[in-house]
Amino acid sequence: MEKKFADLRSGIVIVLACALIYFWLIPAQIRYRGQAEIGPDFFPRLLVVCGGICGAIIAFQAAMKLKKAGKLTPKALLADPQARVNFKKYARHGIFLGSAILYMVAMQYIGFPAASVIYLAALLLFFGHSKPLVSLALSAVYVAVVYLVFTYAFKISFPKGFLGF
Amino acid sequence: MDILIESFMQFVSIQVILGIVAGVVVGIIGGGLPGISPSMCIALLLPISLYLPAPVAIGLMMGSYQGSMFGGSISAILINTPGTASAAATTIDGYQMALKGQSGKALLMALYASCAGGLIGTVILLAMAKPLSTIALKFGPPEYFGLMLLSLALIAGISGKSLLKGLVSGLLGLFLAVVGMDPILGTRRFTFKNINLADGLQTLSVFIGVFALSEILTQLSESRAQLYKKADPLSVVDNKLSFKEFWGQRMNILKSSIIGALIGVLPGIGGSTACFVAYAEAQRGSKHPEKFGTGILDGIAAPESANNAVAGGALVPLLTLGIPGDVVTAILVGALIAHGIKPGPLLFIEDIGSVYTIYIALFFAVISLFFIGKLGIPVFAKVVKLRKATLLPMIFIICVVGTYSNRSNIFDAMMMIGLGALGFILKKNRFPIAPLVISFVIGAQLEMSLRQSLILSDMSLAIFFTRPIALVLIVTSVVFCYFMVRRNMKAPPSAKEEN
């Protein structure tokens, strides 16, 4: 039943997103002067309409199955833990993604090598390693290899920090 | 003939050979590591390939393609975990042989069958590519639209049980392709006044984010202890495969390779289906079908030759029509375009040298696979033991470096994070992500051909039904879609997951 709740949620989110894109985002983000019958907003609008229809069908199918099982009442929806998204389960994912953005911002201030060594060591610990020194050593060697290969072999210029590299 | 010789001579260079060898090694290691798919492997190599000369880059990609197809069998045989979906059928008999202490024999059979399959796939590519490209020369915007529609129809094949979810994923891919300049009027769309988005979303950010990062996020759902756990292969790789044993499989390998190559030609079906079809056919045609599943060579030779032959077959629609048949070929399109090689019928007229380069690279990749596989089986078997807790963070750093290096722009790496999160959300809600990538690749061409056709016909849809090739392509798309949906509905639950 958890899958059906997820489908219902997905379908509703898709329909709402499509409505938002159709009525707000497209007029706000695609501005053109001209009388073209098939303008630059033609294709995005077509996609959004098709997406909205698919989302509505997904939601409808899930709702019908839930109704059949007697789970489509406000009381059942509130009482059933399967109907809710367990955000706690995704705390690690949130931390990982948030730290990744911070890493990229930090890279521009302290440079690629320093930011990457610190971040990779922290990631190794986050993913399951337990020895900080081993993680730091592993991280330093790996980042050095990546940095040297990309800088000297592929001539990539990485962000430099106040340390000068 | 001169062009052929010239193309061949490009491969008599140490850089190109090193490129192929590196591709094969990375492919075998990547394919051998569960969770690292051939597409992810090639996506990670894509940024590196951009800085290499075209023949080296093509060699690297082809090497990786062939290598990863074989690599999947290493973990399938040693730890009962297929490294790639294409090696799933190899697990059935491969692991049983490993339990009997015949892991070395099983790995060698997988290697020889993979090489034979790769060569047969290349021959089929040679035979089919040119005639198809001659027909494709007659294409205008409506025909291109029909072709793109056929590519979209393959979404039905890779959507698994829910066609609707595949469609949503495909539409999302098309929507992502719309970001940036309008191809006809040059109007900016969904750029939020950000100059970094004027060129649209970078292909690398989409590929790496949706595939590699979403996979890292999926693996992150496991506990820290599970991620730190070492995979435990069963036995030392020490036993041999005799020539007589290999020769006894010749008809099985030939038949399975032809099945694999033909399945590869059909867009959207891919290696995982090919290996199961070949396995089933080998069992059906065997004198001792009851022994399948108990650890016999036939059960390894069939799927392994089929999945490597898929590579040659999948290049047929890519080179002749410019349509990617699966995710790996979708990434290959990006790599080829980045090197100024535009796949499609005109390629055979304007740049036949590049076509020969691809053929020869595929051939050399198979040869390299043979030698590297033979030398490296004991070594590669050890890599399978790498802890995910070590591997995944390192892959993430490569993802960041890869997306950043494309334009030396940190914005692309940030977009990759966002797209990775999107891929993860889609996966969690059981939306297939392959349709998103395929649609993203063909999105711009689909929109352009549709709008050009409608402008040409004064908004009349009749243009698609009055031109024979366009009509045939549109009808084929509908028929293909119908059969794919029917196949998915009839398939057992395990096969649906596989899709």
Coordinates of all heavy atoms in Angstrom, one line a residue, chain A residues 3 7 10 25 29 31 37-40 43-44 47 51 54 57 90 92-93 96 100 104 107-108 112 119-120 124-129 142 150 154 156-159, chain B residues 48 51 164-165 168 171 182 185 187-192 217 220-222 224 227-228 389-390 393-394 396 398 401 404-405 410 417 424 428-430 447 451 454 459:
Chain A
K3 N 3.4 1.9 -1.7 CA 3.7 2.3 -3.1 C 2.5 3.1 -3.7 O 2.7 4.1 -4.4 CB 3.9 1.1 -4.0 CG 5.2 0.4 -3.7 CD 5.4 -0.9 -4.5 CE 6.7 -1.6 -4.2 NZ 6.8 -2.9 -4.9
D7 N 2.5 6.8 -5.1 CA 2.1 7.1 -6.4 C 1.1 8.3 -6.4 O 1.1 9.2 -7.2 CB 1.4 5.9 -7.1 CG 2.4 4.9 -7.6 OD1 3.6 5.3 -7.5 OD2 2.0 3.8 -8.1
S10 N 3.0 11.4 -5.8 CA 3.8 11.8 -7.0 C 2.8 12.4 -8.0 O 3.1 13.4 -8.6 CB 4.4 10.6 -7.7 OG 5.1 9.8 -6.8
L25 N 5.5 29.9 -14.7 CA 6.9 29.9 -15.1 C 7.0 30.2 -16.6 O 7.9 30.9 -17.0 CB 7.5 28.5 -14.8 CG 9.0 28.4 -14.8 CD1 9.6 29.3 -13.7 CD2 9.5 27.0 -14.5
Q29 N 9.2 33.2 -17.9 CA 10.5 32.9 -18.4 C 10.7 32.9 -19.9 O 11.8 32.8 -20.4 CB 11.0 31.5 -17.8 CG 11.3 31.6 -16.3 CD 12.5 32.4 -16.0 OE1 13.5 32.3 -16.8 NE2 12.5 33.2 -15.0
R31 N 9.8 35.1 -23.0 CA 9.2 36.4 -23.5 C 9.8 36.6 -24.9 O 11.0 36.7 -25.0 CB 9.6 37.5 -22.6 CG 8.8 37.5 -21.3 CD 9.1 38.6 -20.4 NE 8.3 38.4 -19.2 CZ 8.7 39.0 -18.0 NH1 9.8 39.7 -17.9 NH2 7.9 38.8 -16.9
E37 N 3.4 31.6 -35.1 CA 2.3 30.7 -34.6 C 2.9 29.6 -33.7 O 2.2 29.2 -32.8 CB 1.7 30.0 -35.9 CG 0.4 30.7 -36.3 CD -0.2 29.9 -37.5 OE1 0.4 29.9 -38.6 OE2 -1.3 29.4 -37.3
I38 N 4.1 29.2 -34.1 CA 4.8 28.2 -33.2 C 5.9 28.9 -32.5 O 7.1 28.9 -33.0 CB 5.2 27.0 -34.0 CG1 4.1 26.5 -34.9 CG2 5.7 25.9 -33.1 CD1 4.5 25.5 -36.0
G39 N 5.7 29.5 -31.4 CA 6.7 30.3 -30.7 C 7.6 29.4 -29.9 O 7.4 28.2 -29.8
P40 N 8.5 30.0 -29.1 CA 9.4 29.3 -28.3 C 8.7 28.6 -27.1 O 9.2 27.7 -26.4 CB 10.4 30.3 -27.8 CG 9.9 31.6 -28.1 CD 8.9 31.5 -29.2
F43 N 6.5 24.3 -27.5 CA 7.0 22.9 -27.1 C 6.9 22.7 -25.6 O 6.4 21.7 -25.1 CB 8.4 22.7 -27.7 CG 8.8 21.3 -27.6 CD1 8.1 20.3 -28.3 CD2 9.9 20.9 -26.9 CE1 8.5 19.0 -28.3 CE2 10.4 19.6 -26.9 CZ 9.7 18.6 -27.5
P44 N 7.4 23.7 -24.8 CA 7.3 23.5 -23.4 C 5.9 23.4 -22.9 O 5.6 22.6 -22.0 CB 7.9 24.8 -22.8 CG 8.8 25.3 -23.8 CD 8.2 24.9 -25.1
L47 N 4.7 19.9 -23.6 CA 5.3 18.9 -22.7 C 4.5 19.0 -21.3 O 4.2 18.0 -20.7 CB 6.8 19.2 -22.4 CG 7.7 19.1 -23.6 CD1 9.1 19.5 -23.2 CD2 7.7 17.6 -24.1
G51 N 2.6 16.1 -19.5 CA 3.0 15.7 -18.1 C 1.9 15.8 -17.1 O 1.7 14.9 -16.3
C54 N -0.4 12.9 -17.6 CA 0.2 11.6 -17.1 C 0.1 11.6 -15.5 O -0.3 10.6 -14.9 CB 1.6 11.5 -17.5 SG 1.9 11.1 -19.2
I57 N -3.4 10.9 -14.3 CA -3.7 9.5 -14.5 C -3.0 8.6 -13.3 O -3.7 7.8 -12.7 CB -3.3 8.9 -15.9 CG1 -4.1 9.7 -17.0 CG2 -3.7 7.4 -16.0 CD1 -3.7 9.3 -18.4
Y90 N 15.8 10.3 5.5 CA 16.6 11.0 4.4 C 17.5 12.0 5.0 O 18.0 12.8 4.3 CB 15.7 11.5 3.3 CG 14.9 10.5 2.7 CD1 13.5 10.4 2.8 CD2 15.5 9.5 1.9 CE1 12.7 9.4 2.3 CE2 14.7 8.5 1.3 CZ 13.3 8.5 1.5 OH 12.6 7.5 0.9
R92 N 20.4 11.7 6.3 CA 21.8 11.6 5.8 C 22.0 12.1 4.4 O 23.0 12.7 4.1 CB 22.2 10.1 5.9 CG 22.4 9.5 7.3 CD 22.8 8.1 7.3 NE 24.2 8.0 6.9 CZ 24.7 6.9 6.4 NH1 24.0 5.8 6.1 NH2 26.0 6.8 6.1
H93 N 21.0 11.9 3.6 CA 21.0 12.4 2.2 C 21.1 13.9 2.2 O 21.8 14.5 1.4 CB 19.8 11.9 1.4 CG 19.7 10.4 1.4 ND1 19.2 9.7 2.4 CD2 20.1 9.5 0.5 CE1 19.2 8.4 2.1 NE2 19.8 8.2 0.9
F96 N 24.4 15.1 3.3 CA 25.4 14.9 2.2 C 25.3 15.9 1.1 O 26.3 16.6 0.7 CB 25.2 13.5 1.6 CG 26.0 13.2 0.4 CD1 27.4 13.2 0.4 CD2 25.4 12.9 -0.8 CE1 28.2 13.0 -0.7 CE2 26.1 12.6 -2.0 CZ 27.5 12.7 -1.9
A100 N 27.8 19.0 0.3 CA 28.4 19.1 -1.1 C 28.3 20.5 -1.6 O 29.3 21.0 -2.2 CB 27.7 18.1 -2.0
M104 N 31.5 23.1 -2.4 CA 31.8 23.8 -3.7 C 31.9 25.3 -3.4 O 32.7 26.0 -4.1 CB 30.6 23.6 -4.6 CG 30.8 22.2 -5.3 SD 29.4 21.8 -6.3 CE 29.4 20.1 -6.1
M107 N 35.4 25.7 -1.9 CA 36.4 25.5 -2.9 C 36.9 26.8 -3.5 O 38.0 27.0 -3.8 CB 35.9 24.5 -4.0 CG 36.9 23.9 -4.9 SD 36.1 23.2 -6.3 CE 35.3 21.8 -5.7
Q108 N 35.9 27.7 -3.7 CA 36.2 29.0 -4.3 C 37.0 29.9 -3.4 O 37.7 30.9 -3.9 CB 34.9 29.7 -4.8 CG 34.3 28.9 -5.9 CD 32.9 29.4 -6.2 OE1 32.8 30.4 -6.9 NE2 31.9 28.7 -5.7
F112 N 40.8 24.3 -4.6 CA 40.3 22.9 -4.8 C 41.0 21.9 -3.9 O 40.4 21.1 -3.2 CB 40.4 22.5 -6.3 CG 40.2 21.0 -6.5 CD1 38.9 20.5 -6.5 CD2 41.2 20.2 -6.7 CE1 38.7 19.2 -6.8 CE2 41.0 18.8 -6.9 CZ 39.7 18.3 -7.0
Y119 N 37.2 17.7 2.7 CA 35.8 17.2 2.5 C 35.8 15.7 2.3 O 34.9 15.0 2.8 CB 35.2 18.0 1.3 CG 33.8 17.5 1.0 CD1 32.8 17.8 2.0 CD2 33.4 16.9 -0.2 CE1 31.5 17.4 1.7 CE2 32.1 16.5 -0.4 CZ 31.1 16.7 0.6 OH 29.8 16.3 0.4
L120 N 36.8 15.2 1.5 CA 36.8 13.8 1.2 C 37.1 13.0 2.5 O 36.5 12.0 2.7 CB 37.9 13.5 0.1 CG 38.0 12.0 -0.2 CD1 36.7 11.4 -0.7 CD2 39.1 11.8 -1.3
L124 N 34.6 10.2 3.9 CA 35.0 8.8 4.2 C 34.5 8.4 5.6 O 34.0 7.3 5.8 CB 36.5 8.7 4.1 CG 37.1 8.7 2.7 CD1 38.6 8.9 2.7 CD2 36.8 7.4 2.0
L125 N 34.6 9.3 6.6 CA 34.1 9.1 7.9 C 32.6 9.0 7.9 O 32.1 8.1 8.6 CB 34.6 10.2 8.9 CG 36.1 10.3 9.1 CD1 36.4 11.5 9.9 CD2 36.6 9.0 9.9
F126 N 32.0 9.8 7.2 CA 30.5 9.9 7.1 C 30.0 8.6 6.5 O 28.9 8.1 6.9 CB 30.1 11.1 6.3 CG 28.6 11.3 6.1 CD1 27.9 11.7 7.2 CD2 28.0 11.1 4.9 CE1 26.5 11.9 7.1 CE2 26.6 11.3 4.8 CZ 25.9 11.7 5.9
F127 N 30.7 8.0 5.5 CA 30.2 6.8 4.8 C 30.6 5.5 5.6 O 30.2 4.4 5.2 CB 30.8 6.7 3.4 CG 30.0 7.4 2.4 CD1 30.0 8.8 2.3 CD2 29.2 6.7 1.5 CE1 29.2 9.4 1.3 CE2 28.4 7.3 0.5 CZ 28.4 8.7 0.5
G128 N 31.4 5.6 6.6 CA 31.6 4.4 7.4 C 33.0 4.1 7.9 O 33.2 3.2 8.7
H129 N 34.0 4.9 7.4 CA 35.4 4.7 8.0 C 35.4 5.2 9.4 O 34.6 6.1 9.8 CB 36.4 5.5 7.2 CG 36.8 4.8 5.9 ND1 37.9 4.1 5.8 CD2 36.1 4.6 4.7 CE1 38.0 3.5 4.6 NE2 36.9 3.9 3.9
Y142 N 44.6 10.6 -2.7 CA 43.6 10.6 -3.8 C 43.5 11.9 -4.4 O 43.5 12.1 -5.7 CB 42.3 10.1 -3.3 CG 41.2 9.9 -4.3 CD1 41.3 8.9 -5.3 CD2 40.2 10.8 -4.4 CE1 40.3 8.7 -6.2 CE2 39.2 10.7 -5.4 CZ 39.3 9.6 -6.3 OH 38.3 9.5 -7.3
F150 N 44.5 16.1 -13.6 CA 43.6 17.0 -14.3 C 44.4 18.3 -14.6 O 44.2 18.9 -15.6 CB 42.4 17.3 -13.5 CG 41.3 16.3 -13.8 CD1 41.3 15.0 -13.1 CD2 40.3 16.5 -14.7 CE1 40.4 14.1 -13.4 CE2 39.3 15.5 -15.0 CZ 39.4 14.3 -14.3
F154 N 45.4 17.3 -18.3 CA 44.3 17.8 -19.1 C 44.2 19.4 -19.0 O 43.2 19.9 -19.5 CB 43.0 17.2 -18.5 CG 43.0 15.7 -18.6 CD1 42.8 15.0 -17.4 CD2 43.2 15.0 -19.8 CE1 42.8 13.6 -17.5 CE2 43.3 13.7 -19.8 CZ 43.0 12.9 -18.7
I156 N 43.5 21.5 -16.8 CA 42.3 22.1 -16.1 C 42.8 23.1 -15.0 O 43.7 22.8 -14.3 CB 41.4 21.1 -15.5 CG1 40.9 20.1 -16.5 CG2 40.2 21.7 -14.7 CD1 40.0 20.6 -17.5
S157 N 42.1 24.3 -15.0 CA 42.5 25.2 -14.0 C 41.5 25.2 -12.9 O 40.3 25.6 -13.1 CB 42.7 26.6 -14.6 OG 42.5 27.6 -13.7
F158 N 41.9 24.7 -11.7 CA 40.9 24.5 -10.6 C 40.9 25.9 -9.8 O 41.8 26.6 -9.8 CB 41.3 23.4 -9.6 CG 41.1 22.0 -10.2 CD1 42.1 21.2 -10.6 CD2 39.8 21.6 -10.3 CE1 41.8 20.0 -11.2 CE2 39.5 20.3 -10.8 CZ 40.5 19.5 -11.2
P159 N 39.8 26.1 -9.0 CA 39.8 27.3 -8.2 C 41.0 27.4 -7.2 O 41.3 26.4 -6.6 CB 38.5 27.2 -7.4 CG 37.6 26.2 -8.2 CD 38.6 25.3 -8.9
Chain B
I48 N 37.0 13.4 -19.3 CA 38.5 13.1 -19.7 C 38.6 13.1 -21.2 O 39.5 13.7 -21.8 CB 39.0 11.8 -19.0 CG1 38.9 11.9 -17.5 CG2 40.4 11.5 -19.5 CD1 39.1 10.7 -16.8
Y51 N 39.3 16.1 -23.6 CA 40.7 16.7 -23.7 C 41.6 15.9 -24.6 O 42.8 16.1 -24.6 CB 41.3 17.0 -22.3 CG 40.4 18.0 -21.6 CD1 39.4 17.5 -20.7 CD2 40.5 19.3 -21.8 CE1 38.6 18.4 -20.0 CE2 39.7 20.2 -21.1 CZ 38.7 19.8 -20.3 OH 37.9 20.7 -19.6
L164 N 3.4 4.9 -17.8 CA 3.1 6.3 -17.5 C 4.3 6.9 -16.8 O 4.6 8.1 -17.0 CB 1.9 6.3 -16.5 CG 0.5 6.4 -17.1 CD1 -0.5 6.3 -16.1 CD2 0.4 7.7 -17.9
K165 N 4.9 6.2 -15.9 CA 6.1 6.7 -15.1 C 7.2 6.9 -16.1 O 8.0 7.9 -16.0 CB 6.5 5.8 -14.0 CG 5.5 5.9 -12.8 CD 5.9 5.1 -11.7 CE 5.0 5.4 -10.5 NZ 5.4 4.6 -9.3
V168 N 6.5 10.1 -17.9 CA 6.7 11.3 -17.1 C 8.2 11.6 -17.1 O 8.7 12.7 -17.3 CB 6.2 11.1 -15.7 CG1 6.6 12.3 -14.8 CG2 4.6 11.1 -15.7
L171 N 9.2 12.9 -20.4 CA 8.8 14.3 -20.6 C 9.7 15.3 -19.8 O 10.0 16.4 -20.2 CB 7.3 14.5 -20.2 CG 6.3 13.8 -21.1 CD1 4.9 13.8 -20.4 CD2 6.2 14.6 -22.4
D182 N 16.2 29.0 -27.5 CA 15.3 28.4 -28.4 C 16.0 28.1 -29.7 O 16.7 29.0 -30.3 CB 14.1 29.3 -28.6 CG 13.3 28.9 -29.8 OD1 13.1 27.8 -30.0 OD2 12.7 29.9 -30.5
L185 N 14.2 30.6 -32.8 CA 14.1 32.1 -32.7 C 15.2 32.7 -31.8 O 15.4 33.9 -31.8 CB 12.7 32.5 -32.1 CG 11.5 32.1 -33.0 CD1 10.2 32.4 -32.3 CD2 11.6 32.9 -34.4
T187 N 15.3 32.8 -28.6 CA 14.8 33.4 -27.3 C 15.3 32.5 -26.1 O 15.4 31.3 -26.2 CB 13.2 33.3 -27.3 OG1 12.7 33.7 -28.5 CG2 12.6 34.1 -26.1
R188 N 15.6 33.2 -25.0 CA 16.1 32.5 -23.8 C 14.9 31.9 -23.1 O 13.9 32.5 -22.9 CB 16.8 33.4 -22.9 CG 18.2 33.7 -23.4 CD 19.0 34.4 -22.3 NE 20.3 34.7 -22.9 CZ 21.2 35.4 -22.2 NH1 20.9 35.8 -21.0 NH2 22.4 35.7 -22.7
R189 N 15.1 30.6 -22.7 CA 13.9 29.9 -22.0 C 14.4 29.4 -20.7 O 15.4 28.6 -20.6 CB 13.4 28.8 -22.9 CG 12.8 29.3 -24.2 CD 12.2 28.3 -25.0 NE 13.1 27.3 -25.5 CZ 12.8 26.3 -26.4 NH1 11.5 26.2 -26.8 NH2 13.7 25.5 -26.8
F190 N 13.7 29.7 -19.6 CA 14.0 29.1 -18.3 C 15.4 29.3 -17.8 O 16.0 28.4 -17.2 CB 13.6 27.6 -18.2 CG 12.3 27.3 -18.7 CD1 12.1 26.6 -19.9 CD2 11.2 27.7 -18.0 CE1 10.8 26.3 -20.3 CE2 9.9 27.5 -18.4 CZ 9.7 26.8 -19.6
T191 N 16.0 30.5 -18.1 CA 17.4 30.7 -17.7 C 17.5 31.5 -16.4 O 18.5 31.6 -15.9 CB 18.2 31.5 -18.8 OG1 17.5 32.7 -19.1 CG2 18.3 30.7 -20.1
F192 N 16.3 32.0 -16.0 CA 16.3 32.8 -14.7 C 17.3 33.9 -14.7 O 18.0 34.2 -13.7 CB 16.4 31.9 -13.5 CG 15.3 30.9 -13.4 CD1 15.4 29.7 -14.0 CD2 14.2 31.2 -12.7 CE1 14.4 28.7 -13.9 CE2 13.1 30.3 -12.6 CZ 13.2 29.0 -13.2
L217 N 23.6 8.4 -3.8 CA 22.5 8.7 -2.8 C 21.7 7.4 -2.4 O 21.3 7.2 -1.3 CB 21.6 9.8 -3.3 CG 22.2 11.2 -3.3 CD1 21.3 12.1 -4.2 CD2 22.3 11.8 -1.9
L220 N 23.6 5.4 -0.1 CA 23.7 6.0 1.2 C 22.6 5.6 2.1 O 22.7 5.7 3.3 CB 23.7 7.6 1.0 CG 24.2 8.4 2.2 CD1 25.6 8.1 2.6 CD2 24.1 9.9 1.8
S221 N 21.6 5.0 1.5 CA 20.5 4.5 2.4 C 20.9 3.3 3.2 O 20.2 3.0 4.2 CB 19.3 4.1 1.5 OG 18.9 5.2 0.7
E222 N 22.0 2.7 2.8 CA 22.5 1.5 3.6 C 23.2 2.1 4.9 O 23.6 3.2 4.9 CB 23.5 0.7 2.8 CG 22.9 -0.1 1.7 CD 24.0 -0.8 0.9 OE1 25.1 -1.1 1.4 OE2 23.7 -1.2 -0.3
R224 N 26.0 2.6 7.9 CA 27.5 2.8 7.8 C 28.2 1.4 7.8 O 29.2 1.2 7.1 CB 28.0 3.7 8.9 CG 27.5 5.1 8.7 CD 27.9 6.0 9.9 NE 29.3 6.4 9.7 CZ 30.3 6.3 10.6 NH1 30.0 5.7 11.8 NH2 31.5 6.7 10.4
L227 N 28.0 -0.3 4.5 CA 28.9 0.4 3.5 C 30.4 0.1 3.8 O 31.2 0.0 2.8 CB 28.7 1.9 3.6 CG 27.4 2.4 3.0 CD1 27.2 3.9 3.4 CD2 27.3 2.3 1.5
Y228 N 30.7 -0.2 5.0 CA 32.1 -0.5 5.4 C 32.5 -1.9 5.2 O 33.6 -2.3 5.1 CB 32.4 0.0 6.8 CG 33.9 0.0 7.1 CD1 34.7 1.0 6.5 CD2 34.5 -0.9 8.0 CE1 36.1 1.0 6.8 CE2 35.8 -0.8 8.3 CZ 36.6 0.1 7.7 OH 38.0 0.2 8.0
A389 N 32.3 2.2 1.3 CA 32.6 3.4 2.1 C 33.9 4.1 1.6 O 34.0 5.3 1.8 CB 32.9 3.0 3.6
T390 N 34.7 3.4 0.9 CA 35.9 4.1 0.3 C 35.6 4.6 -1.1 O 36.0 5.6 -1.5 CB 37.1 3.1 0.3 OG1 37.2 2.5 1.6 CG2 38.4 3.7 -0.2
P393 N 32.7 7.9 -1.8 CA 33.2 9.3 -1.7 C 34.2 9.6 -2.8 O 34.2 10.8 -3.3 CB 33.9 9.3 -0.3 CG 33.3 8.2 0.5 CD 32.9 7.1 -0.5
M394 N 35.0 8.7 -3.1 CA 36.0 9.0 -4.2 C 35.3 9.2 -5.5 O 35.7 10.1 -6.3 CB 37.0 7.8 -4.3 CG 38.0 7.8 -3.1 SD 39.1 6.4 -3.3 CE 40.2 6.8 -1.9
F396 N 32.4 10.4 -5.8 CA 31.8 11.7 -5.8 C 32.7 12.8 -6.2 O 32.4 13.8 -6.9 CB 31.2 12.0 -4.4 CG 30.6 13.4 -4.2 CD1 29.4 13.7 -4.9 CD2 31.2 14.4 -3.5 CE1 28.9 14.9 -4.8 CE2 30.7 15.6 -3.4 CZ 29.5 15.9 -4.1
I398 N 35.2 12.6 -8.1 CA 35.4 12.5 -9.6 C 34.2 13.1 -10.3 O 34.3 13.8 -11.3 CB 35.6 11.1 -10.0 CG1 37.1 10.6 -9.7 CG2 35.4 10.8 -11.5 CD1 38.2 11.3 -10.5
V401 N 34.7 16.9 -10.1 CA 35.8 17.3 -11.0 C 35.4 17.2 -12.5 O 35.7 18.1 -13.3 CB 37.1 16.4 -10.7 CG1 38.2 16.7 -11.7 CG2 37.6 16.8 -9.3
Y404 N 32.9 19.9 -13.4 CA 33.6 21.2 -13.3 C 34.5 21.4 -14.5 O 34.5 22.5 -15.2 CB 34.4 21.4 -12.0 CG 35.4 22.5 -12.0 CD1 34.9 23.8 -11.7 CD2 36.7 22.4 -12.4 CE1 35.7 24.9 -11.7 CE2 37.5 23.5 -12.4 CZ 37.1 24.7 -12.1 OH 37.9 25.8 -12.1
S405 N 35.3 20.4 -14.9 CA 36.3 20.5 -15.9 C 35.7 20.8 -17.3 O 36.4 21.4 -18.2 CB 37.1 19.3 -16.1 OG 37.0 18.4 -15.1
I410 N 32.0 26.2 -11.8 CA 31.5 25.5 -10.6 C 30.0 25.4 -10.6 O 29.4 24.5 -10.0 CB 32.0 26.2 -9.3 CG1 32.0 25.2 -8.1 CG2 31.2 27.4 -9.0 CD1 33.2 24.3 -8.1
I417 N 24.6 18.4 -8.7 CA 24.1 18.1 -7.4 C 22.5 18.1 -7.4 O 21.9 17.2 -7.0 CB 24.6 19.1 -6.3 CG1 26.1 19.1 -6.2 CG2 23.9 18.8 -4.9 CD1 26.7 18.0 -5.5
F424 N 17.5 10.9 -7.7 CA 17.3 10.1 -6.5 C 15.8 10.1 -6.2 O 15.2 9.0 -5.9 CB 18.1 10.6 -5.3 CG 17.9 9.9 -4.0 CD1 18.2 8.6 -3.9 CD2 17.2 10.6 -3.0 CE1 18.0 7.9 -2.7 CE2 17.0 9.9 -1.8 CZ 17.4 8.6 -1.6
K428 N 13.4 6.8 -6.0 CA 12.7 6.5 -4.8 C 11.2 6.3 -5.1 O 10.6 5.5 -4.4 CB 12.9 7.6 -3.7 CG 14.2 7.4 -2.9 CD 14.0 6.3 -1.9 CE 15.3 5.6 -1.6 NZ 15.1 4.4 -0.8
N429 N 10.7 7.1 -6.0 CA 9.3 7.0 -6.3 C 9.0 6.0 -7.5 O 8.0 6.0 -8.1 CB 8.7 8.3 -6.6 CG 8.5 9.2 -5.4 OD1 7.7 8.9 -4.5 ND2 9.4 10.1 -5.2
R430 N 10.0 5.2 -7.8 CA 10.0 4.2 -8.8 C 9.7 4.7 -10.2 O 9.0 4.1 -11.0 CB 9.0 3.1 -8.5 CG 9.4 2.3 -7.2 CD 8.4 1.4 -6.7 NE 7.2 2.1 -6.2 CZ 6.0 2.1 -6.7 NH1 5.8 1.3 -7.7 NH2 5.0 2.8 -6.3
E447 N 12.3 18.8 -30.9 CA 11.6 20.1 -31.0 C 11.8 20.8 -32.3 O 10.9 21.3 -32.9 CB 12.0 21.0 -29.8 CG 11.3 22.3 -29.8 CD 11.8 23.3 -28.8 OE1 12.8 23.1 -28.2 OE2 11.1 24.4 -28.7
R451 N 8.8 21.6 -35.0 CA 8.5 23.0 -35.3 C 8.8 23.3 -36.8 O 8.0 24.0 -37.5 CB 9.2 23.9 -34.4 CG 8.6 24.0 -33.0 CD 9.4 24.7 -32.0 NE 9.5 26.1 -32.3 CZ 10.3 26.9 -31.6 NH1 11.0 26.5 -30.6 NH2 10.4 28.2 -31.9
L454 N 6.0 21.7 -38.9 CA 4.7 22.5 -38.8 C 4.8 23.8 -39.5 O 3.8 24.2 -40.1 CB 4.3 22.6 -37.3 CG 3.9 21.4 -36.6 CD1 3.7 21.6 -35.1 CD2 2.7 20.7 -37.3
M459 N 1.2 24.7 -40.3 CA 0.5 24.1 -39.1 C -0.3 22.9 -39.4 O -1.2 22.5 -38.6 CB -0.3 25.2 -38.4 CG 0.4 26.2 -37.7 SD 1.4 25.6 -36.3 CE 0.2 25.3 -35.1

